[in-house]
Amino acid sequence: MPLYKRVDGQEQPHWPLGPFKIRLPFVHYRWELPEMIQGFFMFVVGLAMIPLLQTYLGMPYEAALAFTFIAGIGYILPGLLGVPLVPGWITPAIPVVLLYLKGFEPGPEAIKAMFALQIEVTLIFLFLGITRLGSKLVNAIPNSLKSGVIIGAGVAALMGELKVGGRIDTTPISIIIGSLVSAYVLFSLSFKNVIQNNPFAKQIANFGLVTGMIIAIFVGWAVGEYPLPDIQMGITQPDFALMWNYLVFANGLPSYDVFLLAIPTALIAYVIAFGDIIIGFTLVKRVDHIRQDEKIEENVDRVHLVTAIRNGLHAFFAPWPGLSGPLFTAVHATVAERYAMGKKSMESIYSGGGTFWISGMIALFMLPLVTFFKPVLPIALSLTLILTAYICILVGMEQLKNSTERGVAGIVAITLSMPDPKSTLYAVVIGLILYFLLERPKLLGKHDGENSILDSEENSKEKTAS
């Protein structure tokens, strides 16, 4: 039981610290066993960044493993500082970041480029968090451009897996089966009906992505797509001394032109991340009314500030192609669903998210677990990217309101997904040009909301059908 107990209907106990609210396990919230078990499996998603670190930043496994410990500290910070969202990467932005990194030689050049990008993401979140301008900026971005970026990021993620020499090409059976199982558990309407009458299915749903990942791993071993693990006993010992050679302190600061080249990717990453913030709080609102015993604070500014701290930590001590994002969608959705079951199932929204990532950090020190998952790290990354692609395309399409927006978004998405390091810049420029040329009734002056001929015809058909 925690040291402090929540007054019914009030916020979870905390220690105030400026704009933050400190919460510790066993002091301010109880330890949740289901989230601990899930953390011992899903920590492997953090390890899945290691292949990208090796490929795009040119570092050895031992140094990349040390980077994951820095990431582990960052995952803990939101729950510690008063954010009710389970954090993760800016996952839909990964393909865009990789396109950007392809313009640099793996090694010192790529490390400098990644530092430039991540420090710019840090400054964007910090500035918008302090000034509280985040929502105003995103609302000012044309809907077609935002949706096109989200859809394009999803397409790029999927194409990266489907391309010749990609992970689906080299290990098709395990990844395809794992993706189908994960998609069925997370998104299937028929499975949701099964959950209502089957307690075992409900338990499977509670663990989200874990089921598909475990099945994919054992299928991969069974068909010989991945080698069996060399399980070692003991405590993980990351090589922090070697890690130092892959930081900006040892390689120097990037040049001015690298900072300029990183700006479009940084802006796109922020737009995607803000969408994650909206999704995260939407999931909380869906269950908040069920739990009258706890008041959950929705503070977007605090999310911005904590995300800025995490990205700054990465920029200097562990440049991270996944960036630091406000939401691990699949896990946060699972936590929210369990939270809705009542106080006996989960004491607080903070106890669920806090327990999950603290358990994930503990798992990093457990050498048997790390060595068990080491041969199959690409599976975790592939499943994450494939499911993210589905969600990006789904959410991006839902946000488009008319045929003109859909056309502009489609062009932006195709441009963004092209295998060119400057495709992000081209996509933004093309999207803005098309917005002013096609969507606005007047090139200059206030937008009066009139529709194009195609949109008017579409609306007429909808009215006739209704």
Side-chain angles (χ1 to χ4, degrees), residues 49 52-53 56-57 93-94 97-98 101 114 118 319-323:
M49 188 55 59
L52 298 185
L53 292 168
Y56 291 92
L57 299 189
I94 291 177
V97 174
L98 297 184
L101 288 176
M114 193 63 236
Q118 197 136 33
W320 197 252
L323 301 173

Side-chain angles (χ1 to χ4, degrees), residues 27-339:
V27 177
H28 300 106
Y29 61 79
R30 81 182 184 201
W31 192 256
E32 304 288 354
L33 183 61
E35 276 62 45
M36 182 185 76
I37 295 173
Q38 192 171 182
F40 281 170
F41 282 97
M42 293 306 296
F43 86 101
V44 71
V45 174
L47 292 179
M49 188 55 59
I50 290 177
L52 298 185
L53 292 168
Q54 292 175 300
T55 301
Y56 291 92
L57 299 189
M59 63 177 57
Y61 173 84
E62 293 75 15
L65 179 63
F67 271 30
T68 65
F69 281 79
I70 304 299
I73 296 172
Y75 296 140
I76 293 173
L77 287 179
L80 174 67
L81 298 178
V83 174
L85 309 180
V86 181
W89 308 336
I90 309 181
T91 308
I94 291 177
V96 181
V97 174
L98 297 184
L99 284 174
Y100 162 76
L101 288 176
K102 283 181 180 179
F104 302 91
E105 186 72 23
E109 286 188 21
I111 291 167
K112 292 178 184 179
M114 193 63 236
F115 170 82
L117 173 60
Q118 197 136 33
I119 204 68
E120 287 178 0
V121 173
T122 300
L123 294 175
I124 291 172
F125 273 101
L126 184 62
F127 173 76
L128 296 175
I130 292 174
T131 60
R132 302 183 179 183
L133 292 174
S135 58
K136 294 181 181 179
L137 174 63
V138 170
N139 289 334
I141 299 174
N143 190 51
S144 56
L145 179 57
K146 286 188 291 186
S147 297
V149 166
I150 294 173
I151 295 169
V155 172
L158 189 58
M159 295 307 295
E161 297 299 307
L162 292 173
K163 67 182 181 181
V164 176
R167 281 179 286 267
I168 291 182
D169 183 38
T170 55
T171 55
I173 300 175
S174 56
I175 292 178
I176 290 175
I177 291 177
S179 299
L180 292 175
V181 172
S182 298
Y184 182 72
V185 170
L186 292 173
F187 307 119
S188 171
L189 297 177
S190 63
F191 188 69
K192 289 180 180 179
N193 291 329
V194 173
I195 291 173
Q196 296 177 0
N197 302 314
N198 191 315
F200 179 70
K202 191 173 185 178
Q203 291 298 321
I204 292 176
N206 284 340
F207 291 101
L209 190 61
V210 171
T211 305
M213 186 177 67
I214 295 299
I215 290 176
I217 288 172
F218 281 100
V219 168
W221 286 335
V223 300
E225 289 184 341
Y226 291 93
L228 293 173
D230 177 19
I231 300 177
Q232 302 172 20
M233 297 295 112
I235 298 175
T236 308
Q237 297 181 349
D239 196 336
F240 291 105
L242 179 62
M243 181 189 80
W244 186 265
N245 297 330
Y246 298 90
L247 303 180
V248 69
F249 305 108
N251 293 275
L253 292 171
S255 59
Y256 180 70
D257 60 318
V258 175
F259 280 104
L260 288 178
L261 189 60
I263 290 174
T265 304
L267 291 174
I268 285 174
Y270 173 76
V271 172
I272 294 172
F274 192 87
D276 283 344
I277 295 174
I278 295 173
I279 293 171
F281 279 117
T282 299
L283 291 172
V284 170
K285 287 178 181 178
R286 289 175 60 188
V287 298
D288 188 28
H289 70 281
I290 301 174
R291 291 286 300 271
Q292 299 297 318
D293 59 295
E294 180 179 11
K295 179 182 177 182
I296 302 175
E297 182 185 19
E298 182 180 334
N299 192 318
V300 175
D301 300 321
R302 185 180 301 141
V303 178
H304 276 75
L305 293 175
V306 174
T307 307
I309 293 172
R310 293 176 57 214
N311 277 288
L313 178 70
H314 271 294
F316 286 101
F317 298 105
W320 197 252
L323 301 173
S324 290
L327 189 69
F328 190 162
T329 307
V331 174
H332 181 68
T334 302
V335 169
E337 289 298 323
R338 274 208 348 104
Y339 175 76

